[in-house]
Amino acid sequence: MARERTTELLTVRQVLDELGGISRRTFYRWRELRIAPRCIRLPNGELRVRRDVLAAWLEDLAEGAAS
């Protein structure tokens, strides 16, 4: 049976674009502060963010702002 593709992995550049063009420095600062979406570190050291994780992170921020 073929393995189903679970979700798209986004590069840091794609995440920055999805977030309206924030700077790379801002994203890495958020990571230092542990407020960025959870990332996956690949064996070559590059980071990826699952699209569903990014969407859930954004949803959590929206609900927090409404409170």
Side-chain angles (χ1 to χ4, degrees), residues 3-57:
R3 204 171 158 187
E4 290 183 33
R5 185 174 178 189
T6 56
T7 189
E8 181 181 4
L9 294 177
L10 302 172
T11 64
V12 171
R13 170 56 45 206
Q14 289 171 313
V15 172
L16 300 179
D17 291 343
E18 291 268 336
L19 295 176
I22 66 164
S23 73
R24 184 175 290 271
R25 175 65 188 122
T26 296
F27 180 77
Y28 281 99
R29 180 68 177 146
W30 288 352
R31 283 187 40 82
E32 290 171 9
L33 296 172
R34 298 186 182 272
I35 59 174
R38 282 192 359 235
C39 297
I40 298 168
R41 185 172 301 280
L42 299 177
N44 64 0
E46 293 182 11
L47 295 176
R48 295 291 185 272
V49 178
R50 289 179 30 191
R51 183 171 291 283
D52 61 337
V53 169
L54 179 61
W57 179 78

